[in-house]
Amino acid sequence: MSVIVNDSAYELPDDPRVSLLDYLRERLGLPGTKKGCDQGACGACTVLADGERILSCLALAVAYEGREITTIEGLGTPAEPHPLQRAFIASDGFQCGYCTPGQICSAVGMAAEARRGVPSRVTTDLETETVTLSRDELRERMSGDLCRCGAHNGIIDAIAETYAMEAAE
Ligand code: FES
Ligand code: FES
């Protein structure tokens, strides 16, 4: 049984009780994914599974056999940061940085949902093929990702700027 993490294959644990979060952090040595609440309430542990954002603290590693997991380590590197990582720095989107990997993974998954026309609670046009990421949409769609430092304004600025630039290209 194996799983693909950041483009490399790894054996899954024998113990079916191991969460995906603990597997990534403690077995694969990928500490970028953070443990905040460990009960699905904060978003710090968000990773991408086949491009969809998931809470890795609520996921069992063995359930992801054959799937592709992307963590913050797979999105950008110090030498080649992801555009969102650059924007978080430019927009003061963090203080301690603990929530930041989850915020960025969540934003990547969130933007893909909007591109597919997945509505949120504040979407008014339910027929649209692609949802435009207004600030209300961003606040609603990122509301599961808490920042204990209160950097939410900078976080929304960074995400808005990144995807506005992408839309303009
Ligand atoms: S650590 Fe998973 S949601 Fe908080
Ligand atoms: S930057 Fe500290 S928790 Fe978000």
Side-chain angles (χ1 to χ4, degrees):
M1 292 215 309
S2 63
V3 61
I4 312 292
V5 179
N6 300 335
D7 296 328
S8 297
Y10 296 94
E11 283 300 306
L12 282 163
D14 293 329
D15 187 341
R17 298 168 299 179
V18 176
S19 73
L20 183 60
L21 174 59
D22 287 343
Y23 174 67
L24 293 169
R25 288 180 56 85
E26 293 170 21
R27 312 252 176 136
L28 301 191
L30 294 170
T33 306
K34 299 294 187 264
K35 183 180 282 189
C37 62
D38 207 19
Q39 56 182 9
C42 74
C45 65
T46 304
V47 298
L48 299 163
D50 297 324
E52 299 277 347
R53 51 183 175 168
I54 61 165
L55 298 173
S56 62
C57 70
L58 295 185
L60 293 173
V62 292
Y64 288 82
E65 181 186 9
R67 306 277 300 275
E68 283 198 33
I69 305 297
T70 307
T71 70
I72 192 70
E73 290 92 343
L75 285 179
T77 64
E80 263 190 82
H82 187 278
L84 278 168
Q85 289 175 309
R86 293 183 197 276
F88 268 62
I89 294 168
S91 300
D92 274 341
F94 59 91
Q95 289 181 35
C96 76
Y98 199 81
C99 72
T100 313
Q103 301 277 0
I104 290 176
C105 286
S106 185
V108 170
M110 178 278 303
E113 290 159 17
R115 269 185 229 113
R116 294 199 306 273
V118 177
S120 77
R121 191 183 63 82
V122 301
T123 306
T124 49
D125 180 3
L126 300 181
E127 304 287 315
T128 187
E129 287 188 7
T130 298
V131 178
T132 302
L133 289 174
S134 65
R135 292 183 90 80
D136 279 352
E137 283 282 0
L138 287 177
R139 282 193 203 96
E140 171 62 22
R141 287 169 186 269
M142 294 298 296
S143 60
D145 297 271
L146 306 183
C147 175
R148 294 156 188 80
C149 297
H152 290 285
N153 285 339
I155 290 167
I156 296 300
D157 284 348
I159 300 170
E161 182 184 319
T162 301
Y163 291 113
M165 280 171 57
E166 187 184 281
E169 282 171 4

